[in-house]
Amino acid sequence: MLAAQRKARILEEVGQKGAVRISEIADALKVSEVTIRRDVEALAAQGLVNKVHGGVTANSLSSTVEPPFATNSMREQNAKNAIAAEALKLVKPGMAVALMGGSSVYALAQKLREVPHLTIVTNSVPISDLYAQEQRGDQTVVLTGGFRTPTDSLVGKITSEVFSRFNLDLVFMGTFGMHGDFGFSSPNLMEAETNRDVIQRAAQFVVLADHTKWGGRGFTSFASLEDADVVITTDGISPQALKTLRSRVKDVRVASL
């Protein structure tokens, strides 16, 4: 198991339980406790968790910190693939589509390589690299400039300026958290500001957020639930959360795992 996969598993366990012992994680992953301690120390140095004697706990300040793309992309992979398959149904050949940063949107980008005659505008370095590997003549990919975030997204005034030049059919956007009162949020202030600007450029604003995002709150909100035209989540979401979403979002789609 790669280090990024181990770290993703640690973050999932801590996120679900609030605290977990080093020995439990080591047994579950069939690696040494020394290896897990090293992973925990790396996550703690990034502000993602708190290291305590014999274990690891959630960081109460983590609303301002987002895991790097390499780690985040390993989390909830089945959920992200299911959401991507559902989101693919919204895209038609010839559309102009914005793909924002983050691992959920990256999963969709992988599937969109098969859709002909697309124009894609993205602020995601990994997505741009993905399309550079398999270029096809009937797709146009525009990578914005901007300041690079830990999730390898480009944000800021330069990014917003590039997006302002386009009229987009769809914008696909992930979110750090999805909350009834705080809407969709990000731990990064500049990213949130960029997201707000991009939403204004698209005919439809689509949020890709698996069930684990419900109840989460990043440092700053970039849209309310009502702002979304479509939310695609997964069937692990609670009935009450789904009821709230459907009462406030025009189109809620639940992907099956």
Side-chain angles (χ1 to χ4, degrees), residues 2 12 19 37 61 69 75 90 95 107 119-120 136 153-154 168 178 181 189 196 198 202 208 220 239 245 247:
L2 299 174
E12 285 182 16
R37 285 195 187 93
L61 301 179
F69 179 83
R75 303 176 68 181
L90 296 170
M95 280 186 164
T119 297
I120 294 168
R136 49 182 298 170
S153 301
L154 302 175
L168 303 160
M178 179 168 57
D181 295 327
L189 182 60
R196 291 188 203 106
V198 176
L208 310 183
T220 181
L245 277 175
S247 70

Side-chain angles (χ1 to χ4, degrees), residues 79-93 95 97-99 103-112 115 118 170-174 204-209 230-234 251-256:
K80 289 168 184 173
N81 289 334
I83 287 173
E86 189 65 35
L88 184 63
K89 299 174 184 178
L90 296 170
V91 183
K92 308 300 180 187
M95 280 186 164
V97 177
L99 300 178
S103 54
S104 294
V105 181
Y106 183 86
L108 171 60
Q110 292 177 304
K111 296 182 181 299
L112 290 181
V115 181
L118 287 182
L170 296 164
V171 55
F172 291 98
M173 197 172 287
Q204 281 196 300
F205 166 38
V206 185
V207 178
L208 310 183
V230 184
V231 170
I232 304 177
T233 188
T234 46
D251 185 355
V252 178
R253 306 186 182 196
V254 181
S256 299

